[in-house]
Amino acid sequence: MIFNEQPKSQPISKLQVNEAFKKVKANKGAMGIDGLTIEKVTRKPRKYLYPLWNRMASGSYFPKAVRQVLIPKGNGKMRPLGIPTIVDRVAQHVIATELEQVVEKHFHPSSYGYRPNKSAHDAIEQCRINCMKYSWVIDLDIKGFFDNIDHKLLLKAVKFYTQEKHILLYVKRWLNAPIQLVNGTQIQPQGKGTPQGGVISPVLANIFMDIVFDKWITKESPDTPFERYADDIVIHCKNIKQALRLLEKIKQRLRDCKLELNQEKSKIVYCRSNQKRQPPFKVKYQKFDYLGYTFKPRIIKERGKIKLGFSPAMSQKSRARIAEELRRMKIHRWVQFPLQKIAELLKLKLRGWLNYYGKFRMSEMRKLFRVIHLRLTKWVRNKYRRFRKKPWYVGYKYLQKLSRDFPNLFEHWQYEGFRP
């Protein structure tokens, strides 16, 4: 008798919950405040997933507090990330999937963040094309975007796309879920912010920015191209006057939507290249960073001709961040491992960096691989006693010999010019 299921008030099926858990499991991720891991849920799915479906389908589901962790940013500051529990992530996946099916067809084609069949590389490529066509760029940075989204305005934006009661109900509950700080204390959101790191957050951010920015700029300035990846926005203008006027309008628009422009990071940039007429005044900015790449004047080859273009390459900030990550890994102290094991441990990271930063102007990655080779040279000197009292370049020459003898050992050694 206890398994006789009564009609549920919310249209959520067991299949939706099971499919959502498969996606959460594939994405892996850390545990929330309850200490429950993906492995435990996998071993006993009925114990955890059946009650979740039962509560979601009956409207009695309430999320637990979100665990806050701090990760370092490129400028030395810390960025707060919110990690929901595994069960809450499954619940968010259920609603996020439903919501995406409703809103995806309405989004602007220049919105690239967290969307199917669109990627950061697509945004960078389109930005590169537009930089060659337009002389000026507005590089926008919104101050604490995820921390300052107004809940009332966000719910209003969600209601613009859907009137499904269960979606609105659970979105509201997730927005009001408490946050557990690093020191263990719990705080209640003060009517604003959506934790960066939740499954539902990217969808909600896209919905909010679609109303706040995409649809607004399409109406305000329909001929102005732009690229938006979540809250990272680049706008292209024909001349400095248009850029200045549009920037003032954007500031006012953001203020109306209870957001603020970061004055230090937002700037108007001149895209200098051969075919463009130089402005009659001194330009303050001639480069900008976007999605881990730096756009600036560079020598390029087009249709067999060498000329000055405006193209992307791996940014110095990205190199510094990865160099810091390598420093914290302390590869030079892994003397208990042979070099083959180190190559295996670094394989996925190296492949990820090559796949992302090697898409445009891969040659700029040489500076990053020099850092790795210096770390490996230190490892050689620590591992083999015969190198310790000799100059560092003796160990480096040994590494060079290894790269010639085993060119496929490290992932980046397989590319010409990236060996020591």
Side-chain angles (χ1 to χ4, degrees), residues 162-301:
T162 180
Q163 296 297 319
E164 292 287 345
K165 290 182 179 178
H166 66 287
I167 293 179
L168 297 173
L169 174 71
Y170 292 132
V171 166
K172 191 172 182 180
R173 287 181 184 175
W174 284 317
L175 291 176
N176 293 322
I179 299 168
Q180 182 172 296
L181 302 179
V182 180
N183 59 13
T185 59
Q186 289 192 7
I187 60 170
Q188 205 69 26
Q190 301 300 311
K192 64 178 184 179
T194 171
Q196 194 174 353
V199 176
I200 197 77
S201 295
V203 185
L204 295 179
N206 264 341
I207 290 172
F208 190 71
M209 286 304 292
D210 184 64
I211 300 289
V212 169
F213 183 80
D214 298 358
K215 284 184 169 49
W216 172 82
I217 199 170
T218 303
K219 185 179 177 182
E220 187 71 30
S221 185
D223 298 328
T224 302
F226 67 92
E227 297 84 35
R228 182 178 67 79
Y229 194 96
D231 60 323
D232 291 326
I233 308 169
V234 170
I235 306 163
H236 305 270
C237 300
K238 292 178 181 177
N239 53 61
I240 185 68
K241 289 181 180 178
Q242 182 194 3
L244 289 167
R245 281 196 302 268
L246 193 54
L247 184 58
E248 287 305 312
K249 288 179 181 178
I250 291 167
K251 285 179 185 177
Q252 186 57 51
R253 173 64 177 172
L254 292 177
R255 279 195 291 267
D256 293 342
C257 299
K258 300 185 180 180
L259 292 173
E260 187 183 347
L261 207 63
N262 191 326
Q263 300 284 0
E264 293 178 3
K265 293 185 179 178
S266 299
K267 55 185 180 286
I268 296 174
V269 182
Y270 176 60
C271 303
R272 177 171 170 248
S273 62
N274 272 356
Q275 74 272 29
K276 290 169 185 171
R277 204 172 152 190
Q278 304 303 308
F281 52 87
K282 188 176 180 182
V283 178
K284 188 174 182 181
Y285 299 108
Q286 292 195 42
K287 66 177 181 178
F288 66 93
D289 284 2
Y290 186 55
L291 302 178
Y293 280 79
T294 295
F295 285 76
K296 69 176 187 178
R298 303 177 196 273
I299 301 298
I300 62 170
K301 191 174 182 180

Side-chain angles (χ1 to χ4, degrees), residues 30-33 65-69 81-85 178-181:
M31 57 190 176
I33 63 163
V66 176
R67 182 169 70 91
Q68 188 185 79
V69 294
L81 281 186
I83 302 179
T85 64
I179 299 168
Q180 182 172 296
L181 302 179

Side-chain angles (χ1 to χ4, degrees), residues 87-148:
V87 172
D88 288 338
R89 290 216 287 277
V90 174
Q92 289 188 18
H93 243 302
V94 171
I95 301 301
T97 304
E98 273 195 63
L99 203 48
E100 276 179 352
Q101 290 171 355
V102 174
V103 301
E104 176 59 32
K105 58 191 173 191
H106 298 291
F107 283 158
H108 196 283
S110 294
S111 168
Y112 294 90
Y114 313 112
R115 294 184 61 191
N117 304 318
K118 284 181 179 281
S119 67
H121 286 155
D122 295 330
I124 294 163
E125 172 62 15
Q126 190 57 51
C127 186
R128 184 190 69 80
I129 293 167
N130 285 331
C131 283
M132 297 297 287
K133 293 179 182 177
Y134 295 84
S135 296
W136 297 89
V137 150
I138 304 174
D139 180 22
L140 286 185
D141 187 274
I142 300 173
K143 198 171 184 179
F145 172 68
F146 282 92
D147 300 329
N148 292 311

